[in-house]
Every structure is written in C-alpha cells, then in structure tokens.
Amino acid sequence: AVAPDGSVYVAWLDTTDDDSFKGQAEIQVARSDDAGATFEKHRRASGFVEPGFRARNLVFRSWASAFPKLGIGPNGEVYALWMAIPTSNPEDDGDVFIVSSTNKGQSWSRRIRVNDDDTSSLQFFPELAVSPNGNLHALWGDFRDDPVHVSYHMYYATSEDSGQTWSRNSRVTDFPTNPN
C-alpha cells in the first residue's frame, strides 16, 4: 500500500517459530521511504492465535484469510485487517480484526474485532477500503447464517472513527454460497 507521502508499506503473516497452523502468529509490517529500494526494520503490528489450514466443513484453505490486507488513510494512517482465532474462544473458526498506526508503522493499536456475531462461525477473506474522508469499509465472507457452517453470505461494516468502533454488520448478499 502507498501512503499520500509516497511511503510504501508491505505486510505479511509470520507463523513464528512454532510453524504453520501450530499456535501463535504475527502480522509484520515494513515501510520504505525510497519507493521500495530499502525498507525500515519490520515491526510487529499484532500477535494472534493462528487458524488451522481449513475450518470445519470446508474444503478450501481458509487459513489464507490470516494474510493481512492494508489500507491507508488520507493523513497517512495505516490499517491492517485479517482473520484470526479469537483469544477468548479458541473453538471459534475465526473473526475479522483490525489494527492501526498513526506514526508510520512505528507502533500499533490494540486489535479490534470488526464482525459483531457472538457465534463460533467463520468470518473469512476480509477486504479493506479507506474512503477519501477516512471512513473504513470492511467486507468478508461469513458463515453465521448457516447452523452447519457450509454456506456463507457476504457481510459489510464501516467505521467513521479510524476503526475504533464499527457499524452493525450488514448482510449484503441475498442468496448464500456453498464453497463445497
């Protein structure tokens, strides 16, 4: 992602020393101020419980939902959005989380959950967009409407306060999709 001042940000999932699908993971972010010729030392944006390769009842690799999506605000705010297992409920297949930085990635906020369901349903493949006025828009696949976790809908939420609070989640599809 490129900030208004030309800074380039790159984010990635680090599965840490415990290997993939084994426990802890981190979102790492690095910044370049010279169009990508060199990068500052990367920084940990957040740690989290890494999801397994697949969620229950799914044949696709939902694990890739843990790969971060970046967004840049009009004043250079940096946002990272991804899916992770919530620390409070290790039986949950995954929720959507966001962190932010207002100092060019030098430090990061605490993570905030974007989806508002209280089930253990998987939320996956989140995407993030930032409006010119700074409002955040998140969209993701969501199994909350199917009790057997086979079909999903797309859900949306917006934030007008830099991701600190999110609107009530809205289902934006009329008919569910079965990825199997």
Side-chain angles (χ1 to χ4, degrees):
V2 181
D5 69 359
S7 298
V8 177
Y9 292 87
V10 177
W12 63 93
L13 168 70
D14 184 341
T15 61
T16 67
D17 292 336
D18 62 9
D19 205 4
S20 300
F21 323 119
K22 300 290 186 195
Q24 294 300 307
E26 298 176 341
I27 299 298
Q28 297 284 338
V29 180
R31 184 187 83 241
S32 172
D33 294 323
D34 57 10
T38 61
F39 281 85
E40 300 283 327
K41 180 175 177 6
H42 57 86
R43 305 229 182 226
R44 179 182 179 268
S46 186
F48 59 96
V49 178
E50 183 180 9
F53 187 72
R54 287 190 293 238
R56 65 187 134 182
N57 300 335
L58 301 178
V59 297
F60 67 89
R61 61 173 203 219
S62 57
W63 173 72
S65 298
F67 300 169
K69 305 296 181 169
L70 289 176
I72 305 290
N75 298 312
E77 314 87 43
V78 184
Y79 302 97
L81 182 80
W82 76 99
M83 179 275 284
I85 303 296
T87 309
S88 62
N89 183 5
E91 300 303 313
D92 192 319
D93 276 335
D95 286 333
V96 176
F97 294 96
I98 193 165
V99 292
S100 62
S101 174
T102 57
N103 59 4
K104 299 185 119 195
Q106 296 299 306
S107 63
W108 292 87
S109 68
R110 295 183 61 91
R111 71 181 186 169
I112 294 172
R113 188 175 73 151
V114 176
N115 59 287
D116 63 7
D117 74 309
D118 290 324
T119 70
S120 61
S121 300
L122 173 66
Q123 283 77 39
F124 66 102
F125 295 150
E127 291 293 337
L128 178 66
V130 184
S131 296
N133 67 359
N135 289 348
L136 305 177
H137 306 273
L139 182 75
W140 64 90
D142 196 315
F143 284 91
R144 74 174 78 178
D145 297 316
D146 185 352
V148 294
H149 305 278
V150 174
S151 295
Y152 69 90
H153 282 279
M154 298 303 294
Y155 272 78
Y156 167 84
T158 188
S159 174
E160 297 178 354
D161 60 5
S162 301
Q164 295 303 302
T165 61
W166 289 85
S167 67
R168 183 170 183 254
N169 297 172
S170 299
R171 191 172 83 188
V172 297
T173 50
D174 293 329
F175 192 81
T177 298
N178 179 337
N180 296 326

